[in-house]
Amino acid sequence: MGRDEPRDLLIAYGADTRDHPGGTLLAHLERVEARLAAWGARDELRLAGLCHAFYGTDGFAEHLLPPERREILAAAIGTEAEALVYVYASCDREFSHPGLGQEDGLFRDRFTGETFTPTGRQRADFAELTAANELDVLQENRELRTRHGGGLLKLFTRWRSLLSDAAFKDARETLALKGEEREAFLNGLERGDVVTGVVAVIATFGVTFVELGGVEGMMNIPEVSWGVYDVPGDVIRQGQELTFEVLGVDLSRERIFLSLKALEPDPLRAFARAGFDGLRTGLVTRRVPSGVFVLVADGVEALVDRDDLDGRSPQPGDELTFEITAVNVITRRVRLTLRE
């Protein structure tokens, strides 16, 4: 299907005379379509991008057609593209956006009040169309980008699994803080500050990258939790929004170091304060070349040196009996003696 018919329809209903950031509404719609095309979107999604404001949206109340007249738009762009326009226009954003990245997340139709669970294809199309629309608006309006860019980048990071690589790359390039804004953000952070961020990447080498709203922070493996885990993915997941403590800022390398566990009570200190006399039992959690780790309390592990195993070769899940002889909260070492 060509583009002349939907454009003629847009003009017939006044899209070329309605003001919008960066010019007229028609100019905005054409840029959204072009952006989707640059990302490699299929024709139906591009047509939906061109016509996405026909019924108004939760963020742009004016409509060219009421949703009761859907057959007019469907005749011009086809039923699949029109259905995409309707889903986009009908979205109750406050209700629907938080759960869009989840397979069981509910979507509310703001026109009817009904809720439903979108298919994977519907969620991906909605996310792609949202990104194309919002990026155009913020690219054309610096004030809006300054005010909302950080929040949108966090949102798109939560939706990372739904967005195409091209769309997410465009979002980062468009919304990431640059120049004086970036410098001001970094200079405004201090050790001990508490910030919210979205887990962007859990790298294979163990570092977790966190989107802070225009600037990326990083968290090393030991800072994820006081609990027992092998990799960060055992505790956190990509797209999860969490609260972090700032451990430090390296202005020369523009790096922000973060911690999750700094905001949690230290289980080792609580364990030491509670006392640890008498025999105890604990499960072997993992083997290492120097010995085995034993879980002595919730969130507290102790290393049993290979020489202290007396020839035993316990496996993960085996139970050992021991007596704790000392706890050093500075070196974070728990010393124990195995018993039969």
Short mmCIF file of all heavy atoms in Angstrom, two decimals, residues 140-166:
data_model
loop_
_atom_site.label_atom_id
_atom_site.label_comp_id
_atom_site.label_asym_id
_atom_site.label_seq_id
_atom_site.Cartn_x
_atom_site.Cartn_y
_atom_site.Cartn_z
N GLU A 140 13.27 17.27 18.87
CA GLU A 140 12.84 18.57 18.35
C GLU A 140 12.68 19.62 19.45
O GLU A 140 12.56 20.80 19.15
CB GLU A 140 11.51 18.41 17.61
CG GLU A 140 11.57 17.55 16.36
CD GLU A 140 12.45 18.15 15.29
OE1 GLU A 140 12.44 19.40 15.15
OE2 GLU A 140 13.16 17.40 14.60
N ASN A 141 12.67 19.20 20.71
CA ASN A 141 12.41 20.13 21.81
C ASN A 141 13.42 19.89 22.93
O ASN A 141 13.28 18.94 23.69
CB ASN A 141 10.98 19.96 22.32
CG ASN A 141 10.57 21.04 23.29
OD1 ASN A 141 11.26 21.31 24.26
ND2 ASN A 141 9.42 21.66 23.04
N ARG A 142 14.42 20.75 23.03
CA ARG A 142 15.50 20.57 24.00
C ARG A 142 14.96 20.63 25.43
O ARG A 142 15.41 19.88 26.31
CB ARG A 142 16.57 21.64 23.80
CG ARG A 142 17.75 21.53 24.76
CD ARG A 142 18.78 22.64 24.52
NE ARG A 142 19.86 22.54 25.47
CZ ARG A 142 20.93 21.78 25.30
NH1 ARG A 142 21.03 21.03 24.22
NH2 ARG A 142 21.89 21.75 26.21
N GLU A 143 14.00 21.52 25.66
CA GLU A 143 13.45 21.65 27.02
C GLU A 143 12.80 20.34 27.46
O GLU A 143 12.99 19.89 28.59
CB GLU A 143 12.44 22.79 27.08
CG GLU A 143 11.84 22.99 28.46
CD GLU A 143 10.76 24.06 28.49
OE1 GLU A 143 10.62 24.78 27.49
OE2 GLU A 143 10.06 24.17 29.51
N LEU A 144 12.02 19.74 26.57
CA LEU A 144 11.39 18.47 26.90
C LEU A 144 12.42 17.36 27.09
O LEU A 144 12.27 16.50 27.96
CB LEU A 144 10.40 18.07 25.80
CG LEU A 144 9.11 18.89 25.71
CD1 LEU A 144 8.26 18.43 24.53
CD2 LEU A 144 8.32 18.80 27.01
N ARG A 145 13.48 17.38 26.28
CA ARG A 145 14.52 16.37 26.44
C ARG A 145 15.20 16.50 27.79
O ARG A 145 15.47 15.50 28.47
CB ARG A 145 15.55 16.47 25.32
CG ARG A 145 16.58 15.34 25.35
CD ARG A 145 17.60 15.47 24.24
NE ARG A 145 18.46 16.61 24.43
CZ ARG A 145 19.52 16.63 25.25
NH1 ARG A 145 19.82 15.56 25.96
NH2 ARG A 145 20.27 17.70 25.36
N THR A 146 15.48 17.73 28.21
CA THR A 146 16.11 17.94 29.50
C THR A 146 15.20 17.47 30.64
O THR A 146 15.66 16.87 31.61
CB THR A 146 16.44 19.43 29.69
OG1 THR A 146 17.34 19.84 28.66
CG2 THR A 146 17.08 19.68 31.05
N ARG A 147 13.90 17.71 30.49
CA ARG A 147 12.96 17.38 31.55
C ARG A 147 12.62 15.89 31.59
O ARG A 147 12.48 15.31 32.66
CB ARG A 147 11.68 18.20 31.38
CG ARG A 147 10.74 18.14 32.58
CD ARG A 147 9.43 18.82 32.27
NE ARG A 147 9.63 20.11 31.61
CZ ARG A 147 8.68 20.73 30.91
NH1 ARG A 147 7.48 20.17 30.77
NH2 ARG A 147 8.93 21.90 30.35
N HIS A 148 12.48 15.28 30.42
CA HIS A 148 11.95 13.91 30.37
C HIS A 148 12.90 12.87 29.79
O HIS A 148 12.59 11.68 29.83
CB HIS A 148 10.65 13.89 29.55
CG HIS A 148 9.57 14.77 30.09
ND1 HIS A 148 8.98 14.57 31.33
CD2 HIS A 148 8.98 15.88 29.56
CE1 HIS A 148 8.07 15.51 31.53
NE2 HIS A 148 8.04 16.31 30.49
N GLY A 149 14.03 13.32 29.24
CA GLY A 149 14.91 12.38 28.56
C GLY A 149 15.43 11.27 29.45
O GLY A 149 15.47 10.10 29.05
N GLY A 150 15.82 11.62 30.68
CA GLY A 150 16.35 10.61 31.59
C GLY A 150 15.32 9.55 31.93
O GLY A 150 15.62 8.35 31.94
N GLY A 151 14.09 9.98 32.20
CA GLY A 151 13.04 9.03 32.53
C GLY A 151 12.70 8.12 31.36
O GLY A 151 12.46 6.93 31.53
N LEU A 152 12.70 8.69 30.15
CA LEU A 152 12.41 7.87 28.97
C LEU A 152 13.52 6.86 28.71
O LEU A 152 13.24 5.72 28.33
CB LEU A 152 12.24 8.77 27.74
CG LEU A 152 10.85 9.35 27.54
CD1 LEU A 152 10.84 10.33 26.39
CD2 LEU A 152 9.82 8.26 27.30
N LEU A 153 14.76 7.26 28.93
CA LEU A 153 15.85 6.32 28.70
C LEU A 153 15.77 5.17 29.69
O LEU A 153 16.05 4.02 29.34
CB LEU A 153 17.19 7.04 28.80
CG LEU A 153 18.42 6.25 28.33
CD1 LEU A 153 18.19 5.62 26.97
CD2 LEU A 153 19.64 7.16 28.28
N LYS A 154 15.37 5.45 30.92
CA LYS A 154 15.16 4.36 31.88
C LYS A 154 14.02 3.45 31.41
O LYS A 154 14.11 2.22 31.50
CB LYS A 154 14.82 4.93 33.26
CG LYS A 154 15.99 5.55 34.00
CD LYS A 154 15.52 6.01 35.37
CE LYS A 154 16.63 6.69 36.15
NZ LYS A 154 16.16 7.13 37.48
N LEU A 155 12.94 4.06 30.90
CA LEU A 155 11.81 3.28 30.43
C LEU A 155 12.23 2.37 29.27
O LEU A 155 11.92 1.17 29.26
CB LEU A 155 10.69 4.20 29.97
CG LEU A 155 9.45 3.52 29.36
CD1 LEU A 155 8.72 2.69 30.41
CD2 LEU A 155 8.52 4.55 28.72
N PHE A 156 12.96 2.93 28.30
CA PHE A 156 13.37 2.13 27.16
C PHE A 156 14.38 1.07 27.57
O PHE A 156 14.46 0.01 26.93
CB PHE A 156 13.94 3.04 26.07
CG PHE A 156 12.93 3.99 25.48
CD1 PHE A 156 13.30 5.23 25.01
CD2 PHE A 156 11.58 3.64 25.43
CE1 PHE A 156 12.37 6.11 24.48
CE2 PHE A 156 10.63 4.52 24.90
CZ PHE A 156 11.03 5.75 24.43
N THR A 157 15.14 1.32 28.61
CA THR A 157 16.05 0.28 29.11
C THR A 157 15.26 -0.86 29.74
O THR A 157 15.62 -2.03 29.59
CB THR A 157 17.03 0.88 30.14
OG1 THR A 157 17.76 1.96 29.53
CG2 THR A 157 18.03 -0.16 30.62
N ARG A 158 14.17 -0.54 30.44
CA ARG A 158 13.30 -1.60 30.97
C ARG A 158 12.68 -2.40 29.83
O ARG A 158 12.42 -3.59 29.97
CB ARG A 158 12.20 -1.01 31.85
CG ARG A 158 12.68 -0.41 33.15
CD ARG A 158 11.58 -0.37 34.20
NE ARG A 158 10.42 0.40 33.79
CZ ARG A 158 10.26 1.71 33.98
NH1 ARG A 158 11.22 2.40 34.58
NH2 ARG A 158 9.16 2.33 33.57
N TRP A 159 12.44 -1.74 28.70
CA TRP A 159 11.83 -2.39 27.55
C TRP A 159 12.87 -2.94 26.58
O TRP A 159 12.54 -3.29 25.44
CB TRP A 159 10.95 -1.40 26.79
CG TRP A 159 9.73 -0.95 27.50
CD1 TRP A 159 9.25 -1.36 28.72
CD2 TRP A 159 8.79 0.03 27.03
NE1 TRP A 159 8.10 -0.71 29.03
CE2 TRP A 159 7.77 0.14 28.02
CE3 TRP A 159 8.71 0.80 25.88
CZ2 TRP A 159 6.70 1.03 27.88
CZ3 TRP A 159 7.66 1.67 25.73
CH2 TRP A 159 6.65 1.78 26.72
N ARG A 160 14.12 -3.04 26.99
CA ARG A 160 15.20 -3.39 26.06
C ARG A 160 14.90 -4.67 25.28
O ARG A 160 15.20 -4.76 24.08
CB ARG A 160 16.52 -3.56 26.84
CG ARG A 160 17.71 -4.00 25.98
CD ARG A 160 18.07 -2.90 24.99
NE ARG A 160 19.08 -3.32 24.05
CZ ARG A 160 18.82 -3.90 22.87
NH1 ARG A 160 17.57 -4.15 22.50
NH2 ARG A 160 19.79 -4.24 22.06
N SER A 161 14.30 -5.66 25.92
CA SER A 161 14.03 -6.93 25.25
C SER A 161 12.98 -6.80 24.15
O SER A 161 12.86 -7.67 23.29
CB SER A 161 13.59 -7.99 26.26
OG SER A 161 12.37 -7.61 26.89
N LEU A 162 12.20 -5.72 24.17
CA LEU A 162 11.14 -5.51 23.19
C LEU A 162 11.60 -4.69 22.00
O LEU A 162 11.02 -4.77 20.91
CB LEU A 162 9.94 -4.80 23.83
CG LEU A 162 9.27 -5.50 25.02
CD1 LEU A 162 8.18 -4.61 25.58
CD2 LEU A 162 8.71 -6.84 24.61
N LEU A 163 12.63 -3.88 22.19
CA LEU A 163 13.07 -2.95 21.16
C LEU A 163 14.09 -3.58 20.23
O LEU A 163 14.91 -4.41 20.64
CB LEU A 163 13.69 -1.70 21.80
CG LEU A 163 12.72 -0.80 22.58
CD1 LEU A 163 13.50 0.24 23.36
CD2 LEU A 163 11.73 -0.12 21.64
N SER A 164 14.07 -3.17 18.97
CA SER A 164 15.10 -3.61 18.04
C SER A 164 16.43 -2.98 18.45
O SER A 164 16.48 -1.97 19.16
CB SER A 164 14.74 -3.17 16.62
OG SER A 164 14.74 -1.75 16.52
N ASP A 165 17.52 -3.59 18.02
CA ASP A 165 18.84 -3.04 18.33
C ASP A 165 18.97 -1.62 17.81
O ASP A 165 19.55 -0.75 18.47
CB ASP A 165 19.94 -3.93 17.73
CG ASP A 165 20.05 -5.26 18.43
OD1 ASP A 165 19.54 -5.40 19.57
OD2 ASP A 165 20.65 -6.20 17.84
N ALA A 166 18.44 -1.38 16.61
CA ALA A 166 18.54 -0.05 16.01
C ALA A 166 17.78 0.98 16.84
O ALA A 166 18.25 2.11 17.04
CB ALA A 166 18.01 -0.07 14.58
#
